[in-house]
Amino acid sequence: MNHKIENRTTKSPFPHRIALLLLAALLLLVAGCSPAGQAAANADGKIRVVTTIGMITDVARNVGGEHVEVTGLMGAGVDPHLYKATESDVNRLLNAQIVFYNGLFLEARMEDVFEQMAESKPTVAVGESVPVADRLASPQYAEHFDPHIWMDVKNWMRVVEKIRAELSAFDPDNAADYQANADAYLAQLQELEEWVQAQVVTVPTEQRLLVTAHDAFHYFAKGYDFAVFAPQGISTESEAGVDDIRRTIDLVVERDIPAIFVESSVPPDVVEAIVEGAKARGHDIRIGGSLFSDAMGEDGTPEGTYIGMIRHNVQTVTSALRGE
Ligand SMILES: [Zn+2]
């Protein structure tokens, strides 16, 4: 019996060949146009890097320097919690040689795509460079961590180190350049961290309550000794209900909070409703400004960089909470 079957497979290679052809076709589908399943460098020989949120794009450009061509999928004002990969995004990902995303369930609707990309190229969730002991639990999803790690500059320095390590492993010939670039950028982030520390202490401790629409500021709160409150939860996927808004109005009235904040990537209606409600109860409160929570500002503006975004947020929050 066995002998017969063996005979048949060796003597008629036809089905085997069809299987190989099918496999090749599948690989082509998965890997776009490159037959080996490996995406190639761009025309200038630069490594094709694809990133998700602008903050990661900025790190990849700073560390990769002249050796990389970085394409960020999510621009100013884009909400990563709700973002779905478009057809052209999928093509960019297929042509990428390395993919950097935040992970920790930030880009919740792209998880499947990243899983697929991980089969053919380094696909790195940079947020996982924050050790588990230093991650915050998601107040919304029991099985996930809070993904908004960039809000504490100390965490973001770990991400710089992670991206440096990944680029160096991929392209060891230029490891010394990646190291030098990372060191220079880390020095800027260290300076930023010291500046943030000096700014936050100008707000009296009892006034350090940051109220925003969605819960993106827990790492900021932990890193810089603030309390935070957001009616909308950690992902913008959920909507704030009437009860959430009423609870927030109670809080700002009780704590005599002078300002609350809108976010560039979240519609302002919830925050506006809180301001209206608090005013109706005779409490003097205003919108203290717009913060960059999950997206940076426009390209070419100071807030279109990670450092500029953090400086803007800290300046806006501290001056509004001091009552200026
Ligand atoms: Zn968020």
Side-chain angles (χ1 to χ4, degrees):
M1 282 289 280
N2 273 344
H3 181 71
K4 235 177 173 175
I5 289 168
E6 261 172 42
N7 248 354
R8 206 171 65 199
T9 42
T10 45
K11 282 203 172 156
S12 61
F14 192 60
H16 184 56
R17 207 158 62 200
I18 288 181
L20 268 181
L21 281 171
L22 274 172
L23 185 66
L26 266 173
L27 276 175
L28 277 173
L29 273 177
V30 171
C33 318
S34 64
Q38 284 286 321
N42 80 357
D44 304 327
K46 296 186 184 198
I47 300 168
R48 285 185 212 267
V49 180
V50 170
T51 55
T52 55
I53 53 174
M55 296 74 97
I56 298 175
T57 311
D58 195 17
V59 176
R61 286 192 179 133
N62 271 287
V63 176
E66 57 175 0
H67 303 301
V68 298
E69 179 195 77
V70 184
T71 306
L73 299 182
M74 302 175 192
V78 172
D79 179 348
H81 299 285
L82 304 181
Y83 190 85
K84 288 181 189 157
T86 64
E87 211 177 304
S88 65
D89 290 341
V90 173
N91 281 327
R92 289 189 183 110
L93 287 161
L94 288 167
N95 286 321
Q97 293 170 284
I98 309 187
V99 177
F100 293 123
Y101 68 109
N102 189 78
L104 306 179
F105 207 52
L106 177 74
E107 303 96 337
R109 299 183 179 184
M110 293 181 70
E111 299 256 301
D112 293 351
V113 182
F114 295 133
E115 215 168 280
Q116 196 190 325
M117 293 306 145
E119 289 170 15
S120 60
K121 67 194 73 185
T123 303
V124 184
V126 298
E128 288 172 9
S129 60
V130 175
V132 172
D134 289 341
R135 295 181 201 168
L136 298 174
S138 164
Q140 198 171 2
Y141 303 113
E143 72 277 26
H144 291 292
F145 293 106
D146 181 336
H148 304 90
I149 56 161
W150 55 89
M151 289 298 180
D152 183 335
V153 179
K154 297 176 283 299
N155 282 337
W156 213 235
M157 293 171 87
R158 290 166 159 151
V159 167
V160 173
E161 186 51 43
K162 176 72 175 166
I163 289 178
R164 183 207 61 78
E166 292 290 334
L167 286 175
S168 302
F170 186 83
D171 177 25
D173 289 352
N174 291 311
D177 286 355
Y178 300 133
Q179 184 71 60
N181 293 345
D183 287 347
Y185 192 53
L186 285 169
Q188 291 182 54
L189 293 189
Q190 182 57 40
E191 203 176 298
L192 176 67
E193 168 67 13
E194 284 160 21
W195 178 84
V196 176
Q197 300 273 8
Q199 291 302 305
V200 293
V201 297
T202 64
V203 181
T205 316
E206 68 277 7
Q207 272 165 259
R208 287 191 210 161
L209 175 61
L210 177 56
V211 180
T212 54
H214 104 288
D215 233 351
F217 292 88
H218 284 280
Y219 288 98
F220 179 83
K222 184 180 169 230
Y224 307 111
D225 199 17
F226 269 71
V228 283
F229 191 81
Q232 203 174 345
I234 201 157
S235 166
T236 49
E237 198 110 44
S238 68
E239 280 172 26
V242 176
D243 284 347
D244 300 318
I245 291 173
R246 194 181 300 131
R247 272 193 304 136
T248 314
I249 294 169
D250 289 345
L251 180 81
V252 298
V253 171
E254 275 162 28
R255 295 274 303 260
D256 197 21
I257 299 299
I260 65 175
F261 303 89
V262 294
E263 295 159 69
S264 69
S265 54
V266 182
D269 43 351
V270 168
V271 168
E272 285 164 357
I274 294 162
V275 168
E276 289 306 305
K279 278 184 174 164
R281 286 172 50 179
H283 176 61
D284 186 23
I285 191 169
R286 65 190 184 91
I287 291 179
S290 178
L291 304 180
F292 297 101
S293 51
D294 294 1
M296 307 194 307
E298 297 290 343
D299 272 348
T301 68
E303 294 78 21
T305 66
Y306 172 72
I307 290 174
M309 154 192 184
I310 296 292
R311 288 185 73 97
H312 168 92
N313 284 352
V314 170
Q315 202 118 52
T316 304
V317 167
T318 54
S319 70
L321 293 183
R322 282 192 307 255
E324 285 161 12

